[in-house]
Amino acid sequence: MSGRRSRQSTSSTSSRITDDQIIDLVSKLHQLLPEIRSTRRSNKINIEQASANKVLQETCNYIRNLHKEVDDLSDRLSQLLSSIDADSPEAAIIRSLI
Amino acid sequence: MKARMQNSSSSAALLKQEFLKKWINGLQTYTNTKKEMTILDRKNAIKLSADIAIASTRNFSTNWSRAVMADVSKNVDGSSKIVTEKILGRKETCIIKCSKNIMRKSRLLAHRRRAIRRTIGRTSVKAASAIAKELVKKRTRVLKRLVPGGKQMNEICLIKETLDYIASLQVQVDVMRNIANAADHQCLDSTERSLL
């Protein structure tokens, strides 16, 4: 399969992921994701695809959580900072943190 | 803050510093523009500055960061342009405007790629592996919606962009959380002092 040879992704020709690439990228995602729940039920399905599926699911959930966190933190900060004013005491705190 | 940074890897620490500086720069545009801001206005300002700041830490070398800027510049309210100029400088902002064309071109390319794929015949095999592939496809579609600019990427590109995007989101969340906690403590301290 041409995809296997052209690992570096200038691949406009190969649109399908090979197993090797999945394993490689899945391991990297593993490191970034906080926790991967182990597959509970026995898989008749291809192991790599099962883990790719699980990792994709965890990834989507994680990204959604991060988006929500950014939103919540923006909410919280908008209430804490009484004004985004350069002279306010809160801005001085922030500057001292840099 | 310095002690905490020594614990995390140096590249993540540098990213955090860069993000924080750019974010604060962005927020400073609001000090002069509007005097009265509602809580919702403030929240949107904070979020907008944070998004532009985190996208710019990638120097727009990734698709997701370009997609974020393309979305931001669609914003009708002129404030996004001012914030971008404050964070990036005028020259870079003009370059960002060109990114809209890049996004359009990549969308056209994606359409062409998809058309080619459809014309190539596919053997359909009813097997457990086919079901698994469907699941993976389904999840990939969801992921494409979550990562900015994902719809125009092929699958390999998507996963690489996802890795970078998640790392950047973690930086953004960490810094914002630290600031929020610090501001929290300061508010508590000052209210305690006022009660004495």
Side-chain angles (χ1 to χ4, degrees):
Chain A
M1 206 171 175
S2 63
R4 244 180 269 260
R5 272 179 243 127
S6 61
R7 233 2 132 86
Q8 308 308 314
S9 76
T10 44
S11 49
S12 49
T13 48
S14 76
S15 51
R16 310 189 59 190
I17 312 181
T18 66
D19 292 341
D20 293 338
Q21 284 168 324
I22 290 184
I23 295 171
D24 179 45
L25 293 165
V26 159
S27 62
K28 287 195 187 132
L29 274 176
H30 263 277
Q31 290 163 23
L32 279 178
L33 298 180
E35 195 192 274
I36 305 273
R37 284 175 248 123
S38 54
T39 51
R40 282 173 228 137
R41 46 197 172 89
S42 62
N43 295 316
K44 290 179 189 166
I45 310 170
N46 189 300
I47 295 291
E48 281 127 4
Q49 279 172 338
S51 70
N53 177 48
K54 205 66 183 164
V55 168
L56 280 173
Q57 188 183 13
E58 293 292 325
T59 308
C60 294
N61 290 337
Y62 190 49
I63 292 183
R64 268 190 228 117
N65 284 339
L66 287 173
H67 283 169
K68 184 155 195 310
E69 273 222 62
V70 170
D71 211 55
D72 290 344
L73 284 167
S74 306
D75 258 331
R76 210 175 131 199
L77 280 168
S78 67
Q79 286 163 3
L80 285 172
L81 302 178
S82 52
S83 66
I84 312 181
D85 186 359
D87 299 325
S88 79
E90 289 90 10
I93 303 163
I94 296 173
R95 250 179 267 125
S96 68
L97 290 168
I98 300 179
Chain B
M1 188 90 165
K2 278 200 187 144
R4 254 174 278 153
M5 279 188 180
Q6 272 153 20
N7 293 335
S8 50
S9 73
S10 53
S11 63
L14 282 171
L15 261 179
K16 286 183 184 177
Q17 258 190 328
E18 191 190 340
F19 165 68
L20 181 57
K21 281 192 188 146
K22 288 183 167 168
W23 181 34
I24 302 230
N25 262 339
L27 291 177
Q28 280 172 345
T29 61
Y30 291 94
T31 62
N32 298 320
T33 47
K34 291 170 192 168
K35 290 291 174 185
E36 297 289 328
M37 291 181 83
T38 66
I39 286 194
L40 187 61
D41 281 341
R42 273 207 297 276
K43 178 203 164 175
N44 290 333
I46 290 172
K47 190 147 189 286
L48 177 68
S49 306
D51 287 342
I52 297 179
I54 197 66
S56 80
T57 61
R58 277 289 168 259
N59 284 322
F60 307 105
S61 55
T62 58
N63 278 321
W64 71 261
S65 52
R66 286 196 284 260
V68 166
M69 292 314 295
D71 283 339
V72 157
S73 51
K74 272 186 224 153
N75 187 346
V76 181
D77 179 4
S79 63
S80 63
K81 184 182 172 217
I82 304 172
V83 176
T84 313
E85 279 184 10
K86 188 77 201 274
I87 294 181
L88 303 172
R90 195 152 290 180
K91 185 176 157 203
E92 289 263 15
T93 312
C94 295
I95 298 175
I96 298 308
K97 288 202 167 160
C98 301
S99 72
K100 269 195 214 166
N101 290 331
I102 299 173
M103 299 304 293
R104 216 176 295 141
K105 278 182 206 155
S106 48
R107 238 174 280 147
L108 289 170
L109 275 171
H111 276 298
R112 247 174 261 150
R113 259 186 251 132
R114 259 176 258 145
I116 291 171
R117 249 181 274 161
R118 270 186 229 122
T119 58
I120 297 172
R122 278 180 294 193
T123 57
S124 58
V125 181
K126 282 248 170 180
S129 61
I131 300 171
K133 277 183 188 165
E134 272 309 305
L135 268 177
V136 171
K137 268 191 208 160
K138 180 182 162 196
R139 306 239 181 260
T140 310
R141 256 177 273 143
V142 174
L143 187 60
K144 281 189 175 185
R145 258 182 271 138
L146 285 172
V147 174
K151 291 175 208 153
Q152 287 121 36
M153 302 180 208
N154 65 36
E155 292 157 338
I156 300 160
C157 185
L158 176 68
I159 296 196
K160 290 196 173 167
E161 291 280 326
T162 307
L163 291 170
D164 192 74
Y165 184 53
I166 289 185
S168 302
L169 276 179
Q170 284 171 334
V171 165
Q172 191 181 15
V173 166
D174 275 344
V175 172
M176 288 175 87
R177 199 186 294 136
N178 287 338
I179 296 286
N181 289 338
D184 239 344
H185 287 180
Q186 208 66 17
C187 286
L188 284 172
D189 283 348
S190 58
T191 46
E192 277 171 15
R193 265 182 251 126
S194 66
L195 289 170
L196 290 171

